[in-house]
Amino acid sequence: MSLQHTYYTIDKVSEALFKDRGSKFLAYAYPIANKDDVKKRLQNLKNQHPKAVHFCYAYRLGIDKNDFRANDDGEPSGSAGKPILGQLDSFNLTNCLVVVVRYFGGTLLGVPGLIHAYKTSTQLALEQVAIIEKEIKVTYKFTLAYENMNIIMRVIKQFQAEIITQDMALFCTIQVDIPYLQHEKFLQTLLELQAMNTIELVD
């Protein structure tokens, strides 16, 4: 069995609206990279919707999908965050956040009604955005003298690596993301260059 080397996420922000007995459920789906993104998106929505009563959300992060959270934000336990997370799983998504902003319409919907509303609004938001398959990347960081820059740039190009950061100080420190299927050969090449004192791998 081959190792997984891709994952599915959404390519941009999406919005959808679901209404039930006066209540409005505004669902926002976001591609995210980390938990800081979650905090920023939530805060932005709270600034946009100061009169909303609930900001329920769920996210999954990471390739193994073990980093996740479902938040009911004051709704009955299991009636909001869990249905949102369930839709993320139904679409097989990770690195994705959905926040559903609720404006209360005066009529209690009950737990079954809430589950339906949060599930449906999330589904509508995810149906309106393209789902993309992305290749898993492995990150490497190393330092080198400037006279070896041409060597390492050829290696980076050869293995289709993407430069994430470059710190030009006394030495050059470079951080790259390499496609998962290329990373073992790339690491072997780096180790060979390190053995020749051309570069130094950084933890």
Side-chain angles (χ1 to χ4, degrees):
M1 191 170 103
S2 62
L3 291 171
Q4 178 187 356
H5 61 87
T6 61
Y7 64 94
Y8 293 94
T9 191
I10 58 177
D11 70 338
K12 60 183 179 181
V13 178
S14 174
E15 300 178 22
L17 171 63
F18 178 78
K19 296 179 181 179
D20 188 0
R21 284 167 281 179
S23 282
K24 292 195 299 183
F25 298 83
L26 294 155
Y28 297 85
Y30 304 99
I32 57 170
N34 50 52
K35 292 176 185 175
D36 285 340
D37 288 347
V38 176
K39 294 176 185 176
K40 291 173 186 174
R41 295 297 192 179
L42 275 170
Q43 190 56 55
N44 287 341
L45 285 175
K46 288 177 180 179
N47 293 340
Q48 289 177 41
H49 300 279
K51 294 183 180 180
V53 291
H54 299 288
F55 296 83
C56 305
Y57 67 90
Y59 66 78
R60 278 200 187 275
L61 279 167
I63 309 312
D64 58 12
K65 299 182 181 178
N66 288 332
D67 189 354
F68 65 92
R69 187 174 180 194
N71 190 309
D72 295 315
D73 192 37
E75 294 281 34
S77 179
S79 68
K82 193 173 179 181
I84 297 170
L85 185 64
Q87 285 304 298
L88 290 177
D89 293 343
S90 292
F91 283 80
N92 193 28
L93 299 174
T94 191
N95 289 10
C96 186
L97 162 71
V98 174
V99 183
V100 179
V101 179
R102 183 187 181 189
Y103 285 86
F104 183 56
T107 301
L108 294 174
L109 303 183
V111 170
L114 290 173
I115 291 173
H116 176 72
Y118 283 103
K119 175 184 175 181
T120 303
S121 56
T122 301
Q123 179 183 346
L124 292 172
L126 294 176
E127 285 176 347
Q128 291 182 30
V129 69
I131 293 173
I132 55 173
E133 185 176 16
K134 297 188 75 171
E135 189 161 20
I136 295 169
K137 301 290 182 73
V138 181
T139 301
Y140 291 101
K141 192 174 181 181
F142 46 87
T143 61
L144 66 152
Y146 287 97
E147 60 262 29
N148 295 319
M149 187 69 83
N150 287 339
I151 296 172
I152 199 64
M153 286 301 172
R154 284 199 297 270
V155 173
I156 287 171
K157 185 176 181 181
Q158 175 188 349
F159 288 98
Q160 302 169 337
E162 178 186 359
I163 297 174
I164 304 303
T165 61
Q166 272 184 278
D167 183 14
M168 303 294 191
L170 181 61
F171 294 93
C172 181
T173 300
I174 299 177
Q175 182 173 312
V176 299
D177 279 352
I178 180 81
Y180 182 84
L181 294 179
Q182 298 271 21
H183 88 96
E184 289 185 355
K185 290 181 180 178
F186 183 74
L187 177 58
Q188 183 180 351
T189 302
L190 293 187
L191 291 172
E192 290 170 357
L193 291 171
Q194 182 175 240
M196 294 186 291
N197 295 319
T198 301
I199 68 168
E200 177 185 346
L201 290 176
V202 180
D203 291 334

